[in-house]
Amino acid sequence: RKKLESYPTIKSLSSDKNDPSQIFEYCNTVVQGKSIQFEWIAKNIKTNKEFSVLINLTKITYQNNQVLLANIKDISKLTNARKHLKDEKQLYKTILENISDCIIRTNLDFEVKFINKSTERIINKPLNKIFDKRLGDVIKIIDAKTYKNLSDNWEECILTETNISENDYLIVDWKGKEINVDIAVSMIFDSNQVASGILFVFKDVT
């Protein structure tokens, strides 16, 4: 093992960011008869450019000898896409946490699945306290002119495509304070264009 770890070819093909001993742990696992798949940071020996690879390591019989076979695939594009997605998610998270509008996401049964920080301040409860509760039980929404509780027939308004933006509405915070809001409602669709939820945005227009 000590001799293997000092073998120059392995070192020259690997980034210094890797744990040198780790690949030999993988090899030992495969020697015991278990195939393994792992990601590794490789290095081009001509350009010294580092890139991500996916390695499938297995033990095979070759000319009556037991040898290890490594199938190596360049996954640089996948790794970059992951990083981009992570950065995008962090950006959206930061925006949602700092935006003043109240944002609530529900499923098609109007059960709350997400609220942002502004909504938490309005209802004085974190998401884990109201997760899966129905929208009407989480936040009180009333018609500013008639004082009719919209939460009682919210589902009817959505399902009948009533244009709620034509009216003035109030949401009531946990202290009983009324806040004038504009309401925007959008359906959420999954990758197959099937409706999977509803997004509610309440903008303070006081």
Side-chain angles (χ1 to χ4, degrees), residues 22-32 36 38 57 68:
Q22 189 63 60
I23 197 166
F24 299 101
E25 294 291 342
Y26 293 145
C27 290
N28 184 58
T29 299
V30 176
V31 168
Q32 301 303 315
I36 193 170
F38 60 94
L57 197 60
L68 300 186

Side-chain angles (χ1 to χ4, degrees), residues 108 187-198:
L108 296 179
M187 297 298 295
I188 301 172
F189 297 90
D190 62 20
S191 58
N192 295 316
Q193 295 303 305
V194 176
S196 59
I198 307 169

